[in-house]
Amino acid sequence: MRNTRNSGWIAGASIGLAVMVVVTGCGGGHGKKPARKSTQTSRSAHAGVHKSRGLHNSPTSHRSHKSRTRHTSSASAPLSLSEARGALLDVGDMPVGWTKNEEHLDGRYHVQQNLFGMTAKSTSCQSFIDRTNRAIGTPRLAVERTLKEGGGAGEVTARVVGYRSAKYARRAMSQLRNVPGACPGGVVKDGVKVAFAPWRTERAGNETVGTRMGLGGMSFGDVLVRVGAATVELNFSKSGKADTALVSQLTHKAADRLRSAAR
């Protein structure tokens, strides 16, 4: 699952998402923070909603890769800050030409539940938000890094969030999985309406949730993956045909990095 960036306030999300998957929160960042862009005005439905070559048209497939079937992990202990930093995607994980745009590595940047700060006209939706936020509680730490496509509008924000135990990480996953059905009329965050819809994504980690978020006239694709007591959220956004291969590649790579860091 923030109020001005697609990756900051959904998602982890987010929703982490941001979101947006979706992820919002508070605290300072590590590194220079660029001016907010109006085209990125609402991505935190998941304090932790991230970008690639356009997720507006086609969802990723459900096909599984036998070489990537290590979906279980014994990493149920809380993630340390150094482990969380090490789990983030970096320039070396991206295609040629991608660069680092922004990062927040102090562990306290936007440390909140997926749907923090969101309100709904629907009583049932608001009850869902409040109830699930209480169940998740405040995550222990969160770090993120945004990577930008050279010469293009593609952007991917990776966000790693550590919880007190796997139980709370599972609750964060459940919240994003159920929000499209619980809040069909959408929610409001910082005056911007956010709509949620399921997004088919390949499985990675212990469990995976895909969410498509519409906000401010834009659409974002958000993938949240859990490994033990932590989640990694990837927020993709760009107009045009979805690059499903890149989404799949980065989803599995992010899960592998989190799994390795948490060992």
Side-chain angles (χ1 to χ4, degrees):
M1 124 196 135
R2 32 192 97 112
N3 55 358
T4 52
R5 294 189 60 230
N6 64 312
S7 66
W9 64 259
I10 165 174
S14 282
I15 163 165
L17 271 138
V19 316
M20 233 198 148
V21 159
V22 186
V23 184
T24 44
C26 56
H30 174 90
K32 190 173 181 181
K33 184 182 283 188
R36 302 295 190 184
K37 299 180 182 179
S38 59
T39 57
Q40 296 174 324
T41 340
S42 326
R43 185 249 166 221
S44 160
H46 170 336
V49 151
H50 304 76
K51 302 180 186 177
S52 132
R53 297 190 180 175
L55 305 180
H56 296 271
N57 298 328
S58 0
T60 57
S61 72
H62 271 297
R63 62 185 178 5
S64 61
H65 296 256
K66 291 185 179 180
S67 62
R68 295 165 172 168
T69 53
R70 306 191 320 271
H71 295 313
T72 58
S73 171
S74 59
S76 58
L79 207 64
S80 70
L81 180 56
S82 61
E83 288 170 339
R85 290 170 176 169
L88 282 174
L89 290 179
D90 211 336
V91 174
D93 300 308
M94 308 301 293
V96 175
W98 284 68
T99 59
K100 187 184 303 181
N101 188 41
E102 181 180 2
E103 59 184 13
H104 303 279
L105 305 179
D106 68 352
R108 306 309 304 166
Y109 185 71
H110 285 187
V111 180
Q112 294 292 352
Q113 306 94 335
N114 297 336
L115 307 183
F116 178 81
M118 297 191 175
T119 59
K121 291 183 179 179
S122 163
T123 301
S124 60
C125 174
Q126 190 63 55
S127 175
F128 169 82
I129 292 172
D130 296 340
R131 182 177 68 255
T132 53
N133 278 351
R134 285 194 300 270
I136 296 169
T138 303
R140 296 181 70 252
L141 56 85
V143 295
E144 69 175 56
R145 175 177 292 131
T146 299
L147 301 156
K148 193 172 184 64
E149 182 183 16
E155 189 173 291
V156 175
T157 300
R159 175 180 176 81
V160 172
V161 179
Y163 294 87
R164 288 173 283 168
S165 71
K167 175 177 71 174
Y168 297 99
R170 285 194 295 268
R171 289 176 178 176
M173 299 294 293
S174 178
Q175 185 186 55
L176 282 194
R177 183 180 294 111
N178 294 321
V179 68
C183 301
V187 300
V188 175
K189 168 71 178 178
D190 296 332
V192 178
K193 184 175 179 179
V194 183
F196 301 96
W199 187 39
R200 291 177 55 199
T201 54
E202 293 183 15
R203 183 184 174 190
N206 296 115
E207 54 181 321
T208 308
V209 175
T211 309
R212 186 177 294 284
M213 290 163 285
L215 49 151
M218 297 178 290
S219 177
F220 301 90
D222 201 74
V223 181
L224 187 65
V225 178
R226 181 180 70 84
V227 175
T231 62
V232 57
E233 179 193 11
L234 300 179
N235 179 258
F236 303 82
S237 175
K238 179 180 174 181
S239 300
K241 185 177 181 180
D243 186 342
T244 57
L246 181 62
V247 173
S248 173
Q249 174 189 351
L250 295 185
T251 296
H252 288 287
K253 188 167 291 188
D256 287 344
R257 288 195 63 138
L258 180 55
R259 184 183 296 105
S260 295
R263 282 174 181 163

